[in-house]
C-alpha cells in the first residue's frame, strides 16, 4: 500500500465559531477535545461502566439488566445487557407519545414538492398500534420474520415499528432490488408476511412495486399474506386470497396494542448486505445493543438537541436509513425527515428547498449526491435559506477533499460542523466521525473513533497491530461495542470467518485505512471483493454470478473502476460460449438488472477470448484493473499467469470498447 499521502500536510479546520456561540446555538454535548478524550478514554478502559450508564439513560427497561457485557470475539457470543427486557417500539414511540403527543415525529417530504405531511408522536403511536394489531390478527408472532419492500412513505416506518412492537424481526429489502433479489431475500429469511405498496414514486417516475413483489412471490410458497399500502391508487394486480389492503385492514383494528416485552439479545432485524461471496448475507442486529448504539451516536455525533429537525436523505432500505432516519432519532424523541425524492427532482435545488422549508438543523447525505450537485453548480444552492443548518454530514464512501471543501463552503457556508461518518451495516452505528463541538476536521478524513470503538490498524499480512501513530494497513476493532451485528442469519460460521476469525481477537472491517501523525483516520476503501457504487455496496462475485446465468456467458470477472461521479463503477469482463459471439451485450446488462437491480448495472462490458488466470485457475483481477486504468506498463508480477499471450488481446479489447 502506498504511504505517500502520509507526507502531505492536511490543513486542520477549526470548529466553526457559530457552533460554540451559545447565544445562537445550544452548547454541543461534547464541547471540547478534553471532554471527548475523557469520555472516549472511559468508554475504552471501562466499557461496562460507560455503556451501563448509557443504557439506563437512553433506554426504558421493562426489566433491568444485571450483566453489561458477556461473551466476546473468540466464540462470537457477544451479549449486552443480558437479563434486561424491553420493547423497541415502546422506546421509540410510547414514551414520547405519553410525554408530548403533539410533537412532530416524522416530516414526510413526498416526491412531488408540496405534498409533505407531518406525523406527531401521538399519531405515530396510534398508527403503529393499529398496524401491529393487523399483523397480530393475521398470525404474526414474536420471532417471526417479515419482509418489508416499501417506498419512502411514513407507513414504512410504521411497518418497522409494528413488527418491533410484536417482537417480530423485520427484514427490509431496498425497493431498488429486482424481483429475483427480493425473492432470494424472502426465502433466506423465511419471511411469511410481506409488507409493500401498490407503486412507488421517485424523481417523478413510477416504480411498479406490487408487480415486482408478485413476481418474487411466484417462488415463495411460504408467504401467506401480503399487505399493500396504497401509495398512488393505480390499478395493480391483486390476489384476494393472499393480498390485503393496508387501509382496509387498519380500519378494523383499535389503536391500542400492548408491546411484546422481549429480551435484550432477541433479534430486532435482519438486513442483507454484500460481502466477498456471491450470496448476500443477512446481518442480524439485536434489540438493546443496536438501539443503544443508534441512540448514543445520534445524540453525540449529530449533537442532537430538543427542537432539532434531522434530515437524513438515505433510503430506509439501507442501514443508514434504519439507524439515522428511524431508530436513532425516534429513540431520542426527535423529529426526523423522510425524503421520498432525489437530489435533482424537480430541480437540483430540491435538497435546499427541503432544508429551508422544514428548517432542517442536521443534514446527512452521501458523497455521490454531493459530487452530483457540485457538478450542477452552486447557483442551485445559493439563494436558499440554509441558516437553520448547524451540521452537515456525509456517509457511505470516502469523500474526496474537493467534494468535502465544496460541501463545507457552499452548503455549510463555512459555519457548519461537517462530519464525515464511517461505519457499516455490521457496525450498526457510526464508528469513526468528528464530534462537532470537539474535534477539528480535515477534508477527506473521518477523523476519530466514536465512544467504545477501540480502533486498531493491523498489518494485513501478519495480523499484527501497528502501534506507531502514523500507520497504513487494515482497520479492525479490539473489543465489542453494543451495536455490533451478532450473527449472519442462519450462518454463524460465515459470521465468525468473515469478521472475527480472519484476524484472531479482532473484528475485521474489510477496509484499508491510514492514520496520520495527528492520529486521524483516512478510510481507503475495501480490501476485499466488495465495490461501492454511489454508496451502494455490491460484491463482484454477486454480479459475476448474475452474468453467468446468461446462456451465452462462459465466464465473467467484475472489477470496480474509479468513477468521478459514482465513486466506483462496475466493469465486467466476459468470455462467451462457442457460437455465441453474436450475443447482444444489452442482454447481459439486462441480466444484471434482473438478478440484482438497476443500481448494479455494469457501466462497461468487455467480451474477451480469455481471462487472465493463475495456474491454479484464479482470476487475476489485479491485471484487469491495471489494463482498464491504462497502466499496462505496471502489470506487476505475471509469473503465475497461466497464459501470458492473452495480455495483448486484452489490452486491445479494452482500447476498442
Ligand atoms: C464504506 C454504510 C469511507 C466502507 C453505512 C464500508 C465509507 C462500507 C464511509 C459499508 C466513509 C461507509 N468513508 N468509506 N465515511 N462510510 N464507507 O454496509 O467501505 O452499506 O465498509 O454501510 O461503506 O457500507 P454499508
Amino acid at each position: 500500500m502506498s504511504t505517500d499521502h502520509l507526507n502531505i500536510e492536511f490543513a486542520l479546520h477549526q470548529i466553526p465559531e457559530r457552533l460554540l456561540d451559545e447565544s445562537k446555538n445550544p452548547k454541543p454535548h461534547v464541547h471540547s477535545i478534553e471532554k471527548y478524550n475523557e469520555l472516549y478514554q472511559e468508554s475504552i478502559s471501562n466499557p461496562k461502566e460507560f455503556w451501563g450508564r448509557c443504557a439506563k439513560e437512553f433506554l426504558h427497561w421493562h426489566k433491568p439488566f444485571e450483566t453489561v457485557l458477556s461473551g466476546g470475539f473468540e466464540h462470537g457470543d457477544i451479549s449486552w445487557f443480558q437479563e434486561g427486557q424491553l420493547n423497541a417500539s415502546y422506546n421509540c414511540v410510547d414514551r414520547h407519545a405519553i410525554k408530548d403527543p403533539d410533537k412532530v415525529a416524522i416530516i414526510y417530504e413526498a416526491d412531488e414538492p408540496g405534498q409533505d405531511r407531518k406525523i406527531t408522536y401521538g399519531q405515530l403511536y396510534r398508527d403503529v398500534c393499529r398496524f401491529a394489531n393487523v399483523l397480530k390478527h393475521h398470525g404474526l408472532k414474536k420471532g417471526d420474520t417479515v419482509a418489508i419492500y416499501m417506498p419512502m412513505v411514513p407507513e414504512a416506518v410504521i411497518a418497522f415499528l409494528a413488527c418491533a412492537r410484536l417482537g417480530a424481526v423485520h427484514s427490509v429489502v431496498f425497493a431498488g432490488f429486482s424481483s429475483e433479489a427480493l425473492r432470494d431475500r424472502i426465502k433466506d429469511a423465511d419471511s411469511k408476511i410481506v409488507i409493500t405498496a401498490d407503486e412507488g414514486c421517485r424523481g417523478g417516475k413510477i416504480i411498479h412495486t406490487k408487480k415486482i413483489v408478485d413476481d418474487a412471490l411466484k417462488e415463495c410458497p411460504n408467504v401467506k399474506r401480503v399487505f399493500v399500502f396504497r401509495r398512488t391508487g393505480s390499478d395493480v394486480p391483486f390476489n384476494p386470497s393472499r393480498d390485503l389492503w393496508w387501509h382496509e385492514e387498519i380500519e378494523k383494528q383499535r389503536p391500542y396494542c400492548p408491546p411484546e416485552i422481549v429480551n435484550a439479545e432477541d433479534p430486532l432485524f435482519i438486513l442483507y448486505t454484500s460481502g466477498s461471496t456471491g450470496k448476500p448475507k443477512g446481518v442480524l442486529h439485536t434489540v438493546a445493543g443496536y438501539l443503544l448504539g443508534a441512540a448514543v451516536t445520534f445524540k453525540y455525533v449529530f449533537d442532537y438537541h430538543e427542537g432539532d429537525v434531522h434530515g437524513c436523505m438515505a433510503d430506509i432500505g439501507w442501514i443508514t436509513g434504519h439507524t439515522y432516519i428511524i431508530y436513532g432519532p425516534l429513540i431520542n424523541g426527535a423529529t426526523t425527515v423522510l425524503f421520498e425524492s432525489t437530489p435533482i427532482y424537480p430541480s437540483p435545488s430540491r435538497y435546499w428547498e427541503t432544508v429551508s422549508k422544514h428548517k432542517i438543523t442536521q443534514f446527512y447525505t452521501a458523497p455521490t449526491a454531493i459530487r452530483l450537485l457540485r457538478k450542477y453548480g452552486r447557483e442551485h444552492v445559493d439563494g436558499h435559506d440554509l441558516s437553520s443548518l448547524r451540521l452537515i454530514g456525509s456517509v457511505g464512501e470516502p469523500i474526496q477533499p474537493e467534494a468535502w471543501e465544496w460541501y463545507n463552503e457552499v452548503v455549510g457556508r463555512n459555519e457548519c460542523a461537517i462530519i464525515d461518518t464511517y461505519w457499516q451495516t455490521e457496525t450498526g452505528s457510526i464508528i469513526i466521525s468528528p464530534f462537532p463541538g470537539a474535534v477539528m476536521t480535515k477534508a477527506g478524513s473521518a477523523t476519530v473513533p466514536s465512544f467504545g470503538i477501540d480502533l486498531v490498524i493491523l498489518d494485513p499480512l501478519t495480523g499484527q497491530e501497528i502501534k506507531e501513530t502514523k500507520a497504513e494497513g487494515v482497520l479492525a476493532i479490539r473489543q465489542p461495542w453494543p451495536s455490533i451485528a451478532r450473527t449472519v442469519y442462519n450462518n454463524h460460521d460465515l459470521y465468525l470467518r468473515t469478521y472475527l476469525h480472519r484476524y484472531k481477537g479482532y473484528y475485521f472491517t474489510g477496509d484499508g485505512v491510514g492514520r496520520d501523525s495527528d492520529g486521524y483516520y483516512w478510510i481507503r476503501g475495501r480490501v476485499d471483493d466488495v465495490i461501492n457504487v454511489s454508496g451502494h455496496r455490491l460484491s463482484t462475485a454477486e454480479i459475476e454470478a448474475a452474468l453467468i446465468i446468461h446462456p451465452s456467458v462462459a465466464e465473467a470477472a467484475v472489477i470496480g473502476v474509479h468513477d468521478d461521479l459514482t465513486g466506483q463503477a462496475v466493469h465486467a469482463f466476459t468470455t462467451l460460449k462457442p457460437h455465441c459471439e453474436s450475443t447482444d451485450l444489452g442482454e447481459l446488462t439486462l441480466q444484471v438488472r434482473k438478478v440484482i437491480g438497476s443500481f448494479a448495472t455494469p457501466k462497461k462490458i468487455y467480451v474477451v477470448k480469455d481471462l487472465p488466470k493463475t495456474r491454479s485457475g484464479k482470476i487475476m483481477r489485479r491485471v484487469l484493473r491495471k489494463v482498464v486504468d491504462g497502466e499496462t506498463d505496471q502489470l506487476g508480477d505475471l509469473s503465475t499467469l497461466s497464459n501470458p499471450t492473452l495480455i495483448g488481446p486484452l489490452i486491445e479489447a479494452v482500447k476498442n470498447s
Side-chain angles (χ1 to χ4, degrees), residues 319 396-398 420-425 511 523 526 532 537:
I319 192 70
E397 37 168 339
D420 171 13
T421 63
Y422 165 82
W423 57 298
Q424 312 177 296
T425 305
D511 281 299
I523 305 295
R526 305 289 306 194
N532 194 323
R537 188 168 151 182

Side-chain angles (χ1 to χ4, degrees), residues 14-16 19-20 26-36 300-303 391 417-419 434-440:
Q14 301 294 324
I15 293 158
L19 225 71
L20 300 173
K27 183 173 175 175
H29 297 295
V30 186
H31 48 76
S32 66
I33 191 70
E34 292 75 25
K35 181 85 186 159
Y36 163 76
Y300 294 121
V301 176
F302 289 99
D303 195 41
L391 179 151
I418 160 157
I419 59 164
F435 283 70
V439 177
M440 288 193 271

